[in-house]
Amino acid sequence: MLTVTSDEARTAEDVTERTGSAATPGAVAVIGTGVIALGWIALFAAAGYEVRISSTRPDAEEHVREALALYADSLPQGALPLQKLTERLVFTPDVESAVTGVEAVQENALEDLELKQALFARIAAAAPADALLLSSTSTLLPDDLGALLPEPGRVVVGHPFNPPHIVPLVEVVAGEQAEAGLIERVVAFYRELGKVPVVLRRAVPGFVANRLQSALLRESIHLVREGVVTVDELDAVVTSSIGPRWAVVGPFRAFHLAGGPGGLRHWLEHLGKGLELSWTGLGNPPVDRATVDLLLEQVDASFGTEPYRSLAARRDVEQNAVIAAVAAARAEQE
Amino acid sequence: MLTVTSDEARTAEDVTERTGSAATPGAVAVIGTGVIALGWIALFAAAGYEVRISSTRPDAEEHVREALALYADSLPQGALPLQKLTERLVFTPDVESAVTGVEAVQENALEDLELKQALFARIAAAAPADALLLSSTSTLLPDDLGALLPEPGRVVVGHPFNPPHIVPLVEVVAGEQAEAGLIERVVAFYRELGKVPVVLRRAVPGFVANRLQSALLRESIHLVREGVVTVDELDAVVTSSIGPRWAVVGPFRAFHLAGGPGGLRHWLEHLGKGLELSWTGLGNPPVDRATVDLLLEQVDASFGTEPYRSLAARRDVEQNAVIAAVAAARAEQE
């Protein structure tokens, strides 16, 4: 469409391609081809980015194509032809060529601090000075990840949820030395992808959502061990009550509404009085062999017999339906 | 429509009306007119029951009509004309006349054991011998509630979630002396109403869903106190990740899928190793004046300024949309 008539024009076009914009996304690099990396690849490709994939797997190309074939039907934007996604992929032999000229790098290597530190040092040396250096880590802290860089504050955690091409949240966690403006650029980058970035005010191990999941799982395992419900019944309790509730209002809004017109003030001052006391009754189960065996026995007798792919595909279709339903209900009310 | 020609026929018709069926619901009694009672009234009236309401409020009739006017648009069946609901209500001066001839009694009195015990003794004396005696209590146990009855096992907890006309779950908790068959009748009764009854295998304080909520709230308050996120940001984390996830798959299915094709077995044996250790890092905040003030200050600066009615109405519309979306996605996949 655009006729290039001079070197100057070519350069301008190249720059546009590299840095991208809402209209013309440029290139991004994805390090790794594990489950989380695959979700990011689907998401970036669906958004129109050239996706440079750096993987040590000899069969990386086939492996990614297979996953995208599964994901192509459950993209938040709606189904996309597989070809539209795969034509945007570039497999590179090494990290340096993957990150050259990209807008952003999303790293998904093993949760090994030394490995990630060395990786980010190589990435920072080869990527553009203004490229976003993002890590999908769920356990490591940004200051540690950037420790070997000339500017350690450049590495920012962008922690997604499984599956990343569907679940909206990205927890954004910057280090103490992060430059002013960097967090805003990271937020804008994820928002343009259709994600919901939430910036943590300070880094804590496990960040926020996984700590909340962990707290709920602890009590769930306790109740199964105590014989109050099976894993199946516990799942049914959640999907028919607090799950749909929390898809719509978070816990603070939920308890605010539980207080009636008096809100959280009324709830905390009247109904919430026993809160601290009630916490003393919550469980703290051991995760020993007997506990694991009990859980697995109940899982094997139920949904454990269904193949992973069909369980995952059903979850994805329903997950998208929930997210779309909330968005539609909100749009209608505005 | 039916011409009554003999006393025998009258009796037969009365019995049909009283015991009801899928086609012709009979009468139910609702004790109380608090928030939970109002949800049950809407639910029973929408399902076609004659609803006998026993309340000590002098303005009970006006109070119930006002609430139903608010609920009429957000019934799971879709909007119903207010008149359709209110024409099915009967306000009675006392508990005995409310429960005479009903299929079921749903009690929603204050959470005061002695009061409820005395109430159930009166209810049991006046209601049909086969009427279901159900309590909405969230804190008391069925054996205690039925203690003054000739058959203490008759009282069964049917604990709903706010708002009861929308959230599907009813936790069914029977006492040790509950007769065989009674639990099945309670489950059938709630299922016919469109609810999702889950029978607890044994009674524990707080039952299941509120214990899970409490566990999540404890960590939520901890993270706000630690300055990691505000109440608003915490709510955003939940509604954009674990909320929509748990609307679709409960925690055990979620972690089973997080394990990939190896399932929960793989997850527990590899990724779950640090589970017990991670629990030691979770918070156990005091709910003191400073904590309450911090939470209320953040709520007041945010959603706390929105009127209760509009917040609640939005929640209800979105909640129904989520539940309908999951049901539709499941139906489509079957």
Side-chain angles (χ1 to χ4, degrees), chain A residues 201 211 219 233 244 319, chain B residues 201 211 219 233 244 319:
Chain A
R201 287 159 193 269
R211 292 177 69 103
E219 186 60 18
E233 289 157 357
Q319 187 87 115
Chain B
R201 288 161 191 268
R211 292 177 69 101
E219 185 60 18
E233 289 157 356
Q319 188 88 115

Side-chain angles (χ1 to χ4, degrees), chain B:
Chain B
M1 303 299 245
L2 186 78
T3 313
V4 178
T5 52
S6 74
D7 283 339
E8 216 180 316
R10 285 197 79 89
T11 311
E13 197 199 356
D14 287 346
V15 170
T16 306
E17 277 189 347
R18 185 173 72 69
T19 57
S21 74
T24 57
V28 294
V30 173
I31 313 297
T33 48
V35 175
I36 294 299
L38 293 169
W40 282 119
I41 293 168
L43 193 68
F44 289 130
Y49 282 98
E50 175 187 315
V51 188
R52 313 265 191 80
I53 299 162
S54 165
S55 168
T56 52
R57 282 180 75 128
D59 63 340
E61 200 158 341
E62 197 193 322
H63 172 68
V64 171
R65 278 169 205 273
E66 261 178 31
L68 292 194
L70 193 64
Y71 293 178
D73 289 338
S74 60
L75 292 165
Q77 300 94 326
L80 276 183
L82 178 59
Q83 170 68 12
K84 271 271 166 222
L85 298 175
T86 55
E87 72 186 15
R88 292 168 184 160
L89 310 183
V90 179
F91 293 85
T92 65
D94 57 72
V95 168
E96 282 76 9
S97 55
V99 306
T100 302
V102 299
E103 278 182 56
V105 180
Q106 184 79 40
E107 170 276 317
N108 312 272
L110 290 175
E111 291 288 75
D112 174 323
L113 179 58
E114 284 185 28
L115 183 149
K116 290 203 192 227
Q117 284 177 330
L119 197 54
F120 272 113
R122 288 171 65 194
I123 291 169
D130 62 349
L132 302 174
L133 307 188
L134 305 162
S135 174
S136 298
T137 185
S138 59
T139 57
L140 303 170
L141 299 179
D143 278 329
D144 296 330
L145 293 171
L148 303 186
L149 269 63
E151 301 167 84
R154 274 196 74 193
V155 178
V156 177
V157 170
H159 174 237
F161 286 78
N162 192 34
H165 63 293
I166 294 182
V167 180
L169 179 66
V170 181
E171 290 176 321
V172 174
V173 195
E176 303 238 331
Q177 299 179 59
E179 268 191 18
L182 174 59
I183 299 173
E184 284 72 8
R185 287 177 56 222
V186 172
V187 165
F189 173 72
Y190 284 131
R191 209 166 265 159
E192 205 160 292
L193 267 179
K195 310 308 287 176
V196 175
V198 172
V199 181
L200 271 59
R201 288 161 191 268
R202 64 188 194 77
V204 281
F207 312 137
V208 172
N210 278 348
R211 292 177 69 101
L212 299 178
Q213 286 206 101
S214 181
L216 192 118
L217 186 62
R218 173 163 65 176
E219 185 60 18
S220 298
I221 292 176
H222 171 69
L223 291 167
V224 170
R225 283 186 84 247
E226 292 290 307
V228 177
V229 278
T230 63
V231 298
D232 242 1
E233 289 157 356
L234 188 123
D235 276 2
V237 163
V238 171
T239 55
S240 61
S241 62
I242 51 188
R245 172 180 289 175
W246 287 333
V248 163
V249 288
F252 288 112
R253 276 169 180 77
F255 284 105
H256 180 71
L257 285 165
L264 193 68
R265 180 165 277 106
H266 175 82
W267 191 83
L268 279 173
E269 283 168 7
H270 294 80
L271 310 164
K273 268 184 188 165
L275 204 54
E276 242 183 283
L277 185 68
S278 81
W279 291 339
T280 63
L282 295 180
N284 197 11
V287 189
D288 52 15
R289 194 67 248 169
T291 303
V292 170
D293 285 347
L294 175 69
L295 295 173
L296 293 179
E297 187 188 303
Q298 292 187 4
V299 167
D300 287 344
S302 172
F303 55 85
T305 56
E306 195 174 335
Y308 169 70
R309 285 194 145 209
S310 75
L311 259 181
R314 273 206 291 139
R315 174 198 59 189
D316 293 352
V317 169
E318 293 169 15
Q319 188 88 115
N320 274 327
V322 164
I323 294 164
V326 175
R330 284 195 182 152
E332 209 169 288
Q333 289 177 97
E334 259 156 25

Side-chain angles (χ1 to χ4, degrees), chain A residues 63-120:
Chain A
H63 171 67
V64 171
R65 276 169 206 273
E66 261 178 31
L68 291 195
L70 193 66
Y71 293 177
D73 289 339
S74 61
L75 292 165
Q77 298 95 327
L80 276 183
L82 178 58
Q83 169 68 12
K84 270 271 166 222
L85 299 175
T86 54
E87 72 187 13
R88 291 168 184 160
L89 310 182
V90 178
F91 294 85
T92 64
D94 57 73
V95 169
E96 281 76 8
S97 55
V99 305
T100 302
V102 298
E103 276 182 58
V105 180
Q106 185 79 41
E107 170 276 317
N108 312 272
L110 291 177
E111 292 288 74
D112 175 324
L113 180 58
E114 282 185 28
L115 182 150
K116 290 202 192 226
Q117 283 177 330
L119 196 53
F120 272 113

Side-chain angles (χ1 to χ4, degrees), chain A residues 159-320:
Chain A
H159 175 237
F161 287 79
N162 191 34
H165 63 293
I166 293 182
V167 180
L169 179 65
V170 181
E171 290 176 321
V172 175
V173 195
E176 304 238 330
Q177 299 179 59
E179 267 191 21
L182 175 59
I183 299 172
E184 283 74 8
R185 286 176 58 219
V186 172
V187 165
F189 174 72
Y190 284 131
R191 209 165 266 159
E192 205 160 294
L193 266 179
K195 309 309 285 176
V196 175
V198 173
V199 181
L200 271 58
R201 287 159 193 269
R202 64 185 193 80
V204 281
F207 312 138
V208 172
N210 277 348
R211 292 177 69 103
L212 299 178
Q213 288 206 101
S214 181
L216 193 119
L217 186 62
R218 174 164 66 174
E219 186 60 18
S220 300
I221 292 175
H222 171 69
L223 291 167
V224 170
R225 284 186 83 249
E226 292 290 306
V228 178
V229 278
T230 63
V231 298
D232 243 1
E233 289 157 357
L234 189 123
D235 276 2
V237 163
V238 171
T239 55
S240 61
S241 62
I242 50 187
R245 171 180 290 174
W246 287 332
V248 163
V249 287
F252 288 111
R253 275 169 182 76
F255 285 105
H256 180 70
L257 285 165
L264 193 68
R265 179 166 279 107
H266 175 83
W267 191 83
L268 279 173
E269 283 168 7
H270 295 81
L271 309 164
K273 269 186 186 162
L275 205 54
E276 242 183 282
L277 186 68
S278 80
W279 291 339
T280 63
L282 296 180
N284 197 10
V287 189
D288 53 15
R289 193 68 248 167
T291 303
V292 170
D293 285 346
L294 176 69
L295 296 173
L296 293 180
E297 189 187 302
Q298 292 187 5
V299 167
D300 287 345
S302 172
F303 56 85
T305 56
E306 194 174 334
Y308 169 70
R309 284 195 146 209
S310 75
L311 260 182
R314 274 206 290 138
R315 173 198 59 188
D316 293 352
V317 169
E318 293 170 14
Q319 187 87 115
N320 274 326

